Amino acid sequence: MLPTMLRMDWSVGDGWSRPALIPYGNIEVSPAAQVFHYGQAVFEGVRAYRQDDGRYAVFRPDENAKRFQRSCARMAIPELPTMSFIDAVTSVVAANLDALDDPARPESIYLRPFIVATEPSLGFYGRSSDFAFMVLALPMQQYFGDRTRMLRVLVQDEFSRAFPRGVGFAKCAGNYAGTILAQENAAGADCDQVLWLDGPTQQWIEEFSTSNVFFVLGDELLTPSLNDAFLPGITRASVLDLARELGVPTVERKIAIQELLSAIESGQQVECFSCGTTASVTPVGTLVFKGREYRIGTKPGSVTEKIREELLAVQAGRSVRMPTWRHGV
Ligand SMILES: Cc1ncc(COP(=O)(O)O)c(C=O)c1O
């Protein structure tokens, strides 16, 4: 973890306190705090990339701010204004960079803004009267170690992650706790990731545990259309926009797992990749479903490569495209 974090508190009487940059370290919270018992907690994942000129730019923090607000609204947590969110993440990057000499500065910095309910209360009376908002910073390499590594993915047929009209679209802590066991089972089957299907019918593809999913079928780039049961990824939206810029036809629609498996089995050309703030664009080589293996490929497909390269170039400021996606520090 980098040495400086940020903290702001919210209380019913006073609203938001002023942000404070403080040394990263343990915090004191009552063991009766609502977050520990009822899981009232929301977080975000934001990344700042080192540019060629040595400065840093945060990737689309306004989008994270808006998603944070939507998640907070659903979890009965006070909303942080967009500018306060952007200032918070930017000031944490700046403060940590000030403490590092140029050669020690990482390729990117992952920021973790989060908010938790701190009112001590064992009675479940509803909304907490106190919250703590914090931002942590972690140095991160831009690429996964081996850039051509293909993921092996277990398509989940035992558990469900979310249901319609629930909280699947929100980035709330409980959505992740529920996926740990499935992720462990996937590791037991020698898989890197879990692909989740819709809760009610287990027919429709939704997302991975911490990223969104894309396929290339024919000459189309396909991704499941958004609904209220999975996370609207900012990388997902960015990939769709960049694909259109690159002349790749995009389609957002319901995708049945059976359609995909049949396409792979019949020998059609298929590409699949995972995308997210930490995953960037990571190709998938194999799907495992109900004990059977469906091999997509051993090398990243050409559309996957093209989109990955362009996304990384935009994030690092090496592309002239989408200049408004970079928020300078
Ligand atoms: C469940 C889930 N889906 C999708 C994503 C991808 O979202 P983003 O591209 O905004 O990082 C994430 C990562 O934050 C996630 O946790």
Side-chain angles (χ1 to χ4, degrees):
M1 207 68 70
L2 289 171
T4 302
M5 61 186 258
L6 176 141
R7 178 166 182 168
M8 274 166 92
D9 291 279
W10 185 93
S11 65
V12 167
D14 299 332
W16 287 107
S17 68
R18 293 177 67 81
L21 289 164
I22 54 176
Y24 168 74
N26 292 348
I27 54 167
E28 195 166 299
V29 185
S30 162
Q34 255 189 229
V35 63
F36 296 135
H37 306 273
Y38 309 119
Q40 207 183 2
V42 157
F43 67 98
E44 266 303 325
V46 189
R47 210 154 151 187
Y49 294 84
R50 188 179 175 131
Q51 314 287 289
D52 280 350
D53 62 6
R55 295 184 207 194
Y56 282 69
V58 186
F59 188 66
R60 309 193 77 180
D62 48 329
E63 293 299 320
N64 292 96
K66 285 188 254 168
R67 187 170 66 189
F68 195 58
Q69 289 162 355
R70 291 195 298 271
S71 300
C72 286
R74 178 63 182 87
M75 303 305 287
I77 293 175
E79 290 171 39
L80 186 67
T82 302
M83 272 325 292
S84 306
F85 182 97
I86 296 176
D87 287 348
V89 293
T90 313
S91 64
V92 170
V93 175
N96 281 298
L97 288 176
D98 281 350
L100 293 171
D101 291 335
D102 194 61
R105 292 183 174 177
E107 278 180 78
S108 72
I109 296 178
Y110 178 79
L111 298 146
R112 167 53 59 82
F114 66 105
I115 184 161
V116 293
T118 49
E119 181 186 349
S121 160
L122 295 187
F124 187 49
Y125 302 123
R127 214 174 268 255
S128 169
S129 59
D130 299 280
F131 290 89
F133 169 76
M134 284 168 262
V135 182
L136 309 179
L138 189 72
M140 200 177 255
Q141 289 310 314
Q142 185 145 338
Y143 301 113
F144 280 110
D146 175 0
R147 293 186 51 209
T148 56
R149 184 167 156 267
M150 306 287 284
L151 295 181
R152 218 177 115 85
V153 165
L154 184 70
V155 182
Q156 186 55 232
D157 65 345
E158 186 182 4
F159 306 118
S160 293
R161 177 187 176 276
F163 274 80
R165 293 182 292 281
V167 297
F169 71 92
K171 210 162 162 57
C172 56
N175 281 346
Y176 295 81
T179 66
I180 295 171
L181 188 57
Q183 198 63 40
E184 284 181 2
N185 293 347
D190 208 18
C191 288
D192 309 285
Q193 263 295 341
V194 170
L195 181 62
W196 294 93
L197 304 177
D198 73 295
T201 71
Q202 295 274 293
Q203 270 188 56
W204 306 103
I205 296 172
E206 294 204 319
E207 63 174 341
F208 297 108
S209 300
T210 56
S211 55
N212 291 113
V213 64
F214 276 87
F215 301 95
V216 180
L217 255 190
D219 63 354
E220 284 176 348
L221 181 67
L222 272 183
T223 196
S225 38
L226 293 178
N227 63 38
D228 61 5
F230 72 94
L231 198 79
I234 293 157
T235 319
R236 174 189 177 281
S238 308
V239 164
L240 285 170
D241 286 347
L242 286 178
R244 287 178 203 121
E245 288 273 311
L246 295 169
V248 178
T250 61
V251 179
E252 294 174 74
R253 65 165 167 86
K254 287 177 83 163
I255 306 170
I257 182 65
Q258 208 45 58
E259 174 190 352
L260 242 292
L261 300 180
S262 303
I264 299 169
E265 271 198 313
S266 69
Q268 271 189 59
Q269 187 76 20
V270 177
E271 294 180 33
C272 174
F273 62 84
S274 120
C275 77
T277 299
T278 46
S280 288
V281 167
T282 309
V284 173
T286 307
L287 298 179
V288 180
F289 186 50
K290 296 189 190 291
R292 281 190 60 187
E293 300 217 352
Y294 298 82
R295 285 180 210 282
I296 297 172
T298 51
K299 287 200 314 276
S302 58
V303 177
T304 305
E305 283 283 44
K306 189 153 85 169
I307 288 173
R308 174 163 69 178
E309 290 309 315
E310 189 57 28
L311 178 67
L312 293 173
V314 168
Q315 288 167 331
R318 282 184 273 107
S319 167
V320 291
R321 292 196 165 95
M322 314 302 192
T324 57
W325 287 2
R326 291 182 296 269
H327 183 92
V329 174

